[in-house]
Amino acid sequence: MATKAIVPFLVAMMLLTGVCNTLLTKYQDLQCVRNCDSSNPDDIERFSQPVIQTAQMFLGESGCWLVIAAFTLYRRFVAKDAPLLHGGYEHVGSDDSTEVDRGEEIGRSSLVQEEAEPAIKPLVLNADDRVPLVGWKIFLLAMPACCDLAGTTLMNVGLLFVAASIYQMTRGALILFVGLFSVLFLHRKIYLYQWSALFIVVAGVAVVGLAGAIAPNPQAQPTPPVPPVGNMFAARDAIKTAAVSSGELKTVLGVLMIAGAQIFTATQFVLEEWILEQYALEPLKVVGWEGIFGCLATFIGMIVLHFAVGRTDAGRNGYFDMREGWRETTHYRSVAVTSVLIMISIGGFNFFGLSITRSVSATARSIIDTCRTLFIWIVSLGLGWETFKWLQIVGFALLVYGTFLFNDIVRPPLKACVSRRKVRPLLEEEPIEHM
């Protein structure tokens, strides 16, 4: 009974933290950090530090080690006699029982995951019949961490130019690249109706991007204070014309960057699948290790790019000016507080997401992702960060239908497209997006 009661709470917390990840990052992008009182819109500068935001994400992932440490202490000193809290099943028997059938091993491994409480599933080994991922092999997780670094940084740059809802919807292109890479590298099979679903997803992303280009996000070019000139109406029209033309280009660029970033995220998922198919490691430790490797790679990259680009005249106050990024993060309270909240939210999202990934069905997970996008859209509209676009609804509907069709949640329109065999999941380890 307690197990059933906690699942809705975990789902709600996953939704809350997932929505906060995007909204807090967008809120941070809207904070003015220089020339805030200027009457010239070209002089107003807002927080634009996508590399620092990537570092925030990895620091949030690294915070998962605090949960792991707390669980280890609880297991050692409080719950000594609970076998399912120890991350595995201990077989007790005679020496003759060492010859165990592989099918029994696999069944025993899955039993541990299924019988564990949802809240501790991220801390239970993904399999007991595989080689533990220890020693130098841990560095294998640096590969997906580097993919996460590239993908997240690109998405953070894209978010500077588009509305939060368009950002979240465009990330739906992930399923396209996961499908392609699973076929190419993991030798999975995709049926005809699933290929058609991928084309529908591509169409949905295109329509969402078109909606943003036709009616650009007003926050991409913030409306400045009215300049003290004689003809205020002429000045207003000139500002609007410049903002629209610039906003359209930036929206298209942002959508392309976010969609392109899904290539790196899909590569990350496929690498994680390949590693975890061979080795055993607790899911939350996977996130924790990737957080550590990601932090190291990000900080090294920030230092190198600062000296190579950030200190030049062209790069000063730009994305790679580490000194300016640190000044903006620490000098402005709204940016600093948001940074802390983003790290907490990302850490929570990973924990709650991993807690329910094997506790609910694929249908439920797809519905949760859809609700996350809807909530981000509704809140953004309520805060006045974007305007309502009917075309965006069409794109979102195509994205949802294509994703549901691909995941076998809705039946294909043609009976001949229905597979008579049980479709094997593309990613059996069921990774989740880290932000």
Side-chain angles (χ1 to χ4, degrees), residues 137-303:
K137 295 174 183 176
I138 285 292
F139 287 93
L140 290 172
L141 294 174
M143 295 188 296
C146 289
C147 293
D148 200 5
L149 188 160
T152 301
T153 303
L154 274 176
M155 286 191 287
N156 287 336
V157 176
L159 183 57
L160 293 171
F161 307 136
V162 301
S165 64
I166 291 180
Y167 162 84
Q168 195 65 36
M169 292 179 190
T170 307
R171 290 177 65 178
L174 174 63
I175 192 173
L176 168 66
F177 299 110
V178 169
L180 292 176
F181 293 170
S182 298
V183 171
L184 291 175
F185 303 113
L186 299 177
H187 307 295
R188 302 290 197 262
K189 183 176 181 180
I190 292 182
Y191 295 91
L192 177 61
Y193 74 93
Q194 291 179 309
W195 284 113
S196 64
L198 294 180
F199 283 111
I200 293 173
V201 168
V202 172
V205 172
V207 172
V208 168
L210 180 63
I214 293 176
N217 173 27
Q219 289 293 344
Q221 291 287 330
T223 303
V226 178
V229 296
N231 191 345
M232 291 188 296
F233 293 103
R236 181 195 63 187
D237 294 339
I239 290 172
K240 283 186 176 181
T241 302
V244 168
S245 60
S246 176
E248 290 174 352
L249 294 175
K250 287 187 175 182
T251 299
V252 172
L253 177 62
V255 169
L256 291 176
M257 296 186 76
I258 295 165
Q262 306 316 305
I263 297 175
F264 294 101
T265 304
T267 305
Q268 172 196 348
F269 279 15
V270 171
L271 285 171
E272 288 178 350
E273 178 76 9
W274 175 73
I275 293 169
L276 296 177
E277 277 185 340
Q278 304 176 65
Y279 300 101
L281 187 66
E282 294 87 339
L284 200 61
K285 286 186 178 180
V286 174
V287 175
W289 280 115
E290 288 186 12
I292 290 176
F293 292 133
C295 282
L296 292 174
T298 303
F299 292 144
I300 291 173
M302 288 172 67
I303 294 172

Side-chain angles (χ1 to χ4, degrees), residues 309-326:
V309 181
R311 294 202 306 172
T312 64
D313 292 337
R316 189 168 288 112
N317 298 333
Y319 297 160
F320 305 122
D321 189 343
M322 187 173 64
R323 180 180 297 176
E324 174 62 19
W326 175 255

Side-chain angles (χ1 to χ4, degrees), residues 6-227:
I6 199 173
V7 170
F9 170 76
L10 295 174
V11 170
M13 291 305 297
M14 180 187 175
L15 267 176
L16 176 63
T17 53
V19 170
C20 287
N21 289 345
T22 299
L23 293 179
L24 287 172
T25 304
K26 187 60 182 179
Y27 174 79
Q28 195 173 56
D29 292 340
L30 297 175
Q31 301 309 298
C32 181
V33 294
R34 190 180 290 106
N35 303 326
C36 300
D37 297 328
S38 174
S39 59
N40 185 352
D42 294 331
D43 293 337
I44 297 176
E45 297 184 24
R46 300 185 182 273
F47 185 79
S48 302
Q49 297 292 337
V51 182
I52 287 182
Q53 290 175 329
T54 300
Q56 291 172 178
M57 183 200 71
F58 283 123
L59 287 171
E61 292 181 11
S62 301
C64 292
W65 286 106
L66 297 175
V67 178
I68 295 169
F71 176 76
T72 302
L73 293 174
Y74 175 80
R75 184 181 62 183
R76 180 170 299 178
F77 298 107
V78 179
K80 297 180 179 180
D81 300 326
L84 290 179
L85 291 178
H86 287 265
Y89 172 86
E90 295 183 2
H91 181 79
V92 179
S94 63
D95 294 338
D96 296 334
S97 62
T98 55
E99 297 182 2
V100 182
D101 183 75
R102 179 172 175 81
E104 294 179 1
E105 289 285 345
I106 296 174
R108 190 171 67 195
S109 171
S110 61
L111 182 65
V112 171
Q113 273 284 349
E114 290 175 3
E115 292 189 353
E117 291 287 336
I120 66 167
K121 284 189 176 183
L123 298 153
V124 176
L125 282 174
N126 61 319
D128 286 348
D129 58 316
R130 301 172 190 170
V131 179
L133 188 63
V134 295
W136 67 267
K137 295 174 183 176
I138 285 292
F139 287 93
L140 290 172
L141 294 174
M143 295 188 296
C146 289
C147 293
D148 200 5
L149 188 160
T152 301
T153 303
L154 274 176
M155 286 191 287
N156 287 336
V157 176
L159 183 57
L160 293 171
F161 307 136
V162 301
S165 64
I166 291 180
Y167 162 84
Q168 195 65 36
M169 292 179 190
T170 307
R171 290 177 65 178
L174 174 63
I175 192 173
L176 168 66
F177 299 110
V178 169
L180 292 176
F181 293 170
S182 298
V183 171
L184 291 175
F185 303 113
L186 299 177
H187 307 295
R188 302 290 197 262
K189 183 176 181 180
I190 292 182
Y191 295 91
L192 177 61
Y193 74 93
Q194 291 179 309
W195 284 113
S196 64
L198 294 180
F199 283 111
I200 293 173
V201 168
V202 172
V205 172
V207 172
V208 168
L210 180 63
I214 293 176
N217 173 27
Q219 289 293 344
Q221 291 287 330
T223 303
V226 178

Side-chain angles (χ1 to χ4, degrees), residues 227-404:
V229 296
N231 191 345
M232 291 188 296
F233 293 103
R236 181 195 63 187
D237 294 339
I239 290 172
K240 283 186 176 181
T241 302
V244 168
S245 60
S246 176
E248 290 174 352
L249 294 175
K250 287 187 175 182
T251 299
V252 172
L253 177 62
V255 169
L256 291 176
M257 296 186 76
I258 295 165
Q262 306 316 305
I263 297 175
F264 294 101
T265 304
T267 305
Q268 172 196 348
F269 279 15
V270 171
L271 285 171
E272 288 178 350
E273 178 76 9
W274 175 73
I275 293 169
L276 296 177
E277 277 185 340
Q278 304 176 65
Y279 300 101
L281 187 66
E282 294 87 339
L284 200 61
K285 286 186 178 180
V286 174
V287 175
W289 280 115
E290 288 186 12
I292 290 176
F293 292 133
C295 282
L296 292 174
T298 303
F299 292 144
I300 291 173
M302 288 172 67
I303 294 172
V304 172
L305 290 170
H306 173 73
F307 286 101
V309 181
R311 294 202 306 172
T312 64
D313 292 337
R316 189 168 288 112
N317 298 333
Y319 297 160
F320 305 122
D321 189 343
M322 187 173 64
R323 180 180 297 176
E324 174 62 19
W326 175 255
R327 185 195 70 82
E328 293 176 4
T329 304
T330 56
H331 183 74
Y332 295 95
R333 183 178 179 182
S334 58
V335 176
V337 172
T338 309
S339 295
V340 175
L341 292 177
I342 289 172
M343 288 186 278
I344 295 173
S345 179
I346 285 175
F349 178 73
N350 280 276
F351 174 76
F352 295 119
L354 290 170
S355 296
I356 70 166
T357 188
R358 287 182 173 86
S359 300
V360 298
S361 64
T363 302
R365 289 196 298 273
S366 295
I367 293 174
I368 291 170
D369 289 339
T370 301
C371 291
R372 178 187 178 188
T373 303
L374 278 174
F375 290 157
I376 290 171
W377 195 3
I378 292 170
V379 174
S380 296
L381 288 171
L383 293 174
W385 290 358
E386 56 184 286
T387 55
F388 183 80
K389 311 173 186 69
W390 283 103
L391 191 59
Q392 193 173 350
I393 291 183
V394 177
F396 181 56
L398 288 172
L399 277 169
V400 173
Y401 179 73
T403 303
F404 281 16

